[in-house]
Amino acid sequence: MTGVSYIEELQQLQRKLSNLEQENLYLRNALKEEKQLEKRIKAAFFAAKDGILILQPSGVILDVNDIICTVFKLEKDKIIGRNITHFLPREYREKAREYLAEMNESKKHSRHLFPLKYQHNEVFYEISAGKLPDEDAFVAIVRNMTSYFLKHQKKQKEKLLYNEFFTEALDGIVLWKETGEIIAANESALRIFESTYEELMQTKISDYVYQKDEKYVSMIKQLYKHKSNREELMFLMPNGQKKLLEFTTKLHSVEGMHMSIFRNISERYKMEMDLRESKTMLKNVFEEAFDGIIVWDEAFRIVDMNRAAERILLKPKEEMTGMSLLDVLPNGKSVAEDIKPMLLTLKDGEQNRGLYTAAINGNEWSQFEFRNKYNIYSGLSITTLRDITENAVLEKQLRKSSTLNVIGELAAGIAHEIRNPMTALKGFIQLLENEFKSDNHKMYFSVIKTELNRIEMIINEFLLLAKPKDVQYVKCDVTKIMDETLELLQAQAVLFNVQIEKNYGEFQLEVYCDPNQMKKVFINIVKNGIEVLEHGGEIQVELNETEDSCHIMIKDNGNGISKELVARLGEPFFTTKEKGTGLGLMVCKQIIEDHKGKMEIESEEGIGTAFHIYIPKHNISNND
């Protein structure tokens, strides 16, 4: 071997050695990179936030990362070797097998959503799977999609619910554009607007408005200002029918569209009008009722009252509202005639009634018929008052008239029975007087005839009660009649030590009357005054005139009588005198009433009694 050859060979060896070193370096680098890549893949496999499974084509699990262990709540050794379908609900297993077969055939990456079941719960995961290169296996990435799935499911339900709400709603729902054109409506809206779907889609809501007045213009302005409103408006339907609709509008409520919800309130409006009319009618009935009605609460506070109650109690509603009914009502004439004890004994649902006598207006007693009803509505009770004072007076007058009729019939019978023997007595007395003409018997006959005439006069008074005789009214001077009466009674007044004082001048007081009957009235009253002054006293007689009547006052300064007894004066057989009959004043009252006048009696115990007689000046015919 030559020197050149050796050197060349050595150089070749050096080049080969250098190449081997480079290859070795490359291999070491490649191995290092492969180890680093394997390390990164393993780190990515176990550090991934999504679950990763390595599956055989049959679905048997070869490997899993920690996320899958967390998902299945199992250790890795209890997962590896089991088929993926074991962790799926039964109804999804067939679908999973089809999914694996599809990947084996197509070798393509695919994605599906499966519910994975563990501990009786379902959690929805998206599984993305692909074929591993150079291996008969698949890698599957499992991502938790439960939140997304539930949101999607909720959205679908909401959409379904919205569709059901829109379609089945009892109220009419209309969707419309900014231009006012209707683009959707439910069945209720079609019924409200009396239109088909096609007809409604060709119109605007404003086309149905009955009147586009100031209210409508203001409503539109407020809608675009506040973006929503709630109003009532009259609409005119295509068939000519008017409907009052209540509607709520919300701008840009559904995908930029405006929505209006309509409700037909025509019937409700009619009912409200009927209720208002009924309320007005009941209020009018309440206010205009003839009986006084008082509404009060559980504490007896007055809540309301009608006009009749105001008239009865002589106070306005405004003043009495809120006051206690027990304080407003005056005390009764007696406990038996008071309403308050009856009010206090009322219980829930009970009612009572009775007569109530009270001095509402000063000293004048008024009589009321009352009814109380407790808790008629929501703790409110009512009391009704009916003024029967006039009825009581009429009833009293009726009883008096009935008594007068009985007395009249009795008087007529007595007078008839007495007159027959009286006629015989008068005849025989005249015969006896003619036979006994001596002066010794003349005085006896005079007394007998005087007493017989007195008896006849009493009989005539009885007959006046039975059948008043026809009276001829003539123009007379009352002053003259009074003077003649007082002159007639002067002797009796002196006998009883009574002074009669006349307080009238020499003027004439002329009235149309029967002078004899008027004299009878004056005699009766003055004579009564003399008789009550047992120990002497004074009688005042005054004559005055008013615009249309003559006023006669006869007053004594005797003991007087109580107000209760004054009210009974003039009743048949009622008298304050020991031997009186009560017929005198009754006859006087009858005569004055026949003259279209009136008599008033004032008396006070310890002071005396005054009779006021008023006789009209105008002419009185027998037919008046």
Side-chain angles (χ1 to χ4, degrees), residues 62-152:
L62 298 176
D63 199 2
V64 295
N65 66 353
D66 294 339
I67 299 298
I68 294 298
C69 295
T70 304
V71 169
F72 292 156
K73 304 285 186 181
L74 294 171
E75 298 293 334
K76 182 184 291 188
D77 58 350
K78 293 182 180 180
I79 299 174
I80 295 173
R82 301 175 71 176
N83 199 292
I84 185 64
T85 58
H86 176 79
F87 298 97
L88 298 177
R90 190 176 299 275
E91 60 270 21
Y92 283 88
R93 292 176 182 176
E94 186 62 32
K95 183 178 179 182
R97 294 187 187 100
E98 293 176 358
Y99 174 42
L100 291 170
E102 180 183 336
M103 285 193 298
N104 282 323
E105 291 178 3
S106 62
K107 312 298 183 183
K108 293 181 180 178
H109 178 81
S110 62
R111 180 183 299 174
H112 285 276
L113 189 69
F114 289 100
L116 298 180
K117 183 172 68 173
Y118 63 92
Q119 295 184 354
H120 307 291
N121 292 322
E122 282 188 355
V123 181
F124 291 87
Y125 286 89
E126 181 185 63
I127 299 178
S128 300
K131 186 80 168 59
L132 286 173
D134 303 326
E135 285 191 46
D136 191 16
F138 298 96
V139 61
I141 298 174
V142 179
R143 180 171 295 171
N144 191 336
M145 300 294 289
T146 305
S147 176
Y148 168 80
F149 178 79
L150 292 178
K151 286 181 181 179
H152 178 73

Side-chain angles (χ1 to χ4, degrees), residues 284-345:
N284 290 337
V285 170
F286 175 77
E287 290 293 342
E288 302 302 329
F290 295 111
D291 295 344
I293 304 174
I294 305 171
V295 182
W296 44 277
D297 62 15
E298 294 173 344
F300 295 99
R301 288 188 298 266
I302 296 175
V303 176
D304 199 2
M305 61 195 304
N306 65 352
R307 295 191 185 101
E310 290 181 302
R311 289 193 297 269
I312 289 173
L313 299 177
L314 302 177
K315 290 181 181 178
K317 180 198 301 186
E318 293 74 16
E319 181 180 334
M320 287 188 284
T321 301
M323 294 179 64
S324 172
L325 180 62
L326 302 176
D327 295 335
V328 168
L329 293 173
N331 294 327
K333 194 172 185 179
S334 64
V335 175
E337 296 175 292
D338 200 350
I339 188 176
K340 297 176 187 177
M342 302 289 282
L343 284 168
L344 293 170
T345 57

Side-chain angles (χ1 to χ4, degrees), residues 3 37 209 301 333 601:
L37 179 60
V209 176
R301 288 188 298 266
K333 194 172 185 179
I601 305 172

Side-chain angles (χ1 to χ4, degrees), residues 253-265:
S253 62
V254 181
E255 298 178 356
M257 295 181 292
H258 310 320
M259 181 173 68
S260 294
I261 302 175
F262 293 88
R263 178 176 294 175
N264 187 354
I265 61 169

Side-chain angles (χ1 to χ4, degrees), residues 532-535 556-562 603-609:
V532 297
L533 297 171
E534 298 176 357
H535 305 290
D556 65 65
N557 63 348
N559 293 328
I561 57 177
S562 65
S603 185
E604 190 171 347
E605 292 181 299
I607 295 178
T609 304

